[in-house]
Amino acid sequence: MKRKVGSPAAITEVKPRAKRMSPEARQEQILKAGISAFAERGLANATHADIAERIGVSIPTVFHYFPNTESLQQAVLQKIHRYFVDEMITVHLKTEGPAYDRIESLLLSFQEQIDQNSEYVTIWLEWSGFTRGRVWQFYLAFYKEATAGLRKMLLQGQVDRSVSSKINASDASRIIMGMAHTITHMRFSGSAKRTVQGTVHSLAMSYLAPNN
């Protein structure tokens, strides 16, 4: 769109304005763009400027909602924390059926996230590799809640005899979390879904199933 300014010969470009949004909607938009930026550039490299460019707002607008990189990181990681716990672990925890079967389903659902929600998985994988500082403390909080949910599922299975009584539920919960890393590494390195499914099924049947 062009508009005449001053004399008829003077023409200037009028840039489109960012769409008006409620503060809540704008914050959510910035957060979503932050997830995309962190997934592409890394947790330590994405900036407020990257986010502003993605959604067509000024850099001060991003700073208004997230005053520094740390607050933006925390919001992004909390979003991913809650998604994986609430939408995956808790959902399977409340589902009926043998516990080893639910855990296999949970791990296969995680595999689907690599295709359907790859930004979350990419950030989660990098996040788990931080071994110091605030980012690592956030991951430990996620890890503690996630393994607690898995442990509860395993204990349910031992009560109803759908999980081997020989395994230690705390140890097994950590092994299952490790399987999530294995699945991600396999898929990112080119393994087919069928290959991953076979690996997951082998874990569920040979380690968790009650005939052990």
Side-chain angles (χ1 to χ4, degrees):
M1 176 182 176
K2 294 184 178 180
R3 181 181 62 191
K4 294 183 179 181
V5 178
S7 67
I11 298 177
T12 184
E13 291 287 340
V14 177
K15 294 183 179 180
R17 295 181 178 180
K19 182 180 177 181
R20 282 186 174 274
M21 291 184 176
S22 67
E24 295 78 14
R26 180 67 74 193
Q27 184 172 27
E28 185 63 24
Q29 182 195 37
I30 292 170
L31 181 57
K32 184 177 180 180
I35 291 171
S36 179
F38 281 133
E40 180 180 330
R41 296 181 55 80
L43 283 169
N45 299 319
T47 67
H48 284 59
D50 293 325
I51 295 165
E53 183 178 0
R54 285 170 187 267
I55 57 177
V57 300
S58 67
I59 297 173
T61 296
V62 182
F63 274 102
H64 173 74
Y65 289 95
F66 298 98
N68 49 51
T69 301
E70 289 75 18
S71 63
L72 183 58
Q73 281 179 337
Q74 183 172 356
V76 166
L77 297 177
Q78 182 65 16
K79 183 89 169 179
I80 293 170
H81 176 148
R82 293 266 49 95
Y83 179 82
F84 283 129
V85 170
D86 297 341
E87 302 300 324
M88 298 192 68
I89 293 176
T90 301
V91 166
H92 283 83
L93 186 59
K94 295 179 178 179
T95 301
E96 295 184 359
Y100 71 83
D101 194 43
R102 285 185 281 151
I103 289 168
E104 181 174 356
S105 174
L106 170 61
L107 290 171
L108 293 177
S109 295
F110 180 79
Q111 177 183 213
E112 292 303 316
Q113 296 300 313
I114 295 172
D115 295 323
Q116 300 173 7
N117 210 357
S118 61
E119 291 177 342
Y120 277 41
V121 177
T122 298
I123 293 174
W124 169 78
L125 185 62
E126 182 187 5
W127 184 21
S128 68
F130 276 72
T131 57
R132 62 178 66 86
R134 295 171 67 258
V135 172
W136 176 240
Q137 293 303 314
F138 294 149
Y139 185 78
L140 289 179
F142 161 76
Y143 186 85
K144 182 178 180 180
E145 186 174 359
T147 53
L150 292 169
R151 181 177 181 274
K152 186 175 181 179
M153 200 183 307
L154 290 161
L155 290 173
Q156 288 176 349
Q158 289 182 326
V159 169
D160 65 20
R161 298 183 179 180
S162 64
V163 166
S164 172
S165 61
K166 297 178 182 179
I167 69 170
N168 180 288
S170 295
D171 290 343
S173 70
R174 291 187 283 268
I175 290 171
I176 293 165
M177 284 293 291
M179 275 299 299
H181 282 85
T182 299
I183 290 168
T184 307
H185 292 155
M186 288 177 72
R187 288 302 311 282
F188 282 3
S189 63
S191 294
K193 283 187 176 182
R194 182 174 296 179
T195 302
V196 175
Q197 289 167 356
T199 301
V200 170
H201 185 68
S202 177
L203 169 79
M205 296 306 296
S206 65
Y207 178 54
L208 299 177
N211 58 336
N212 297 319

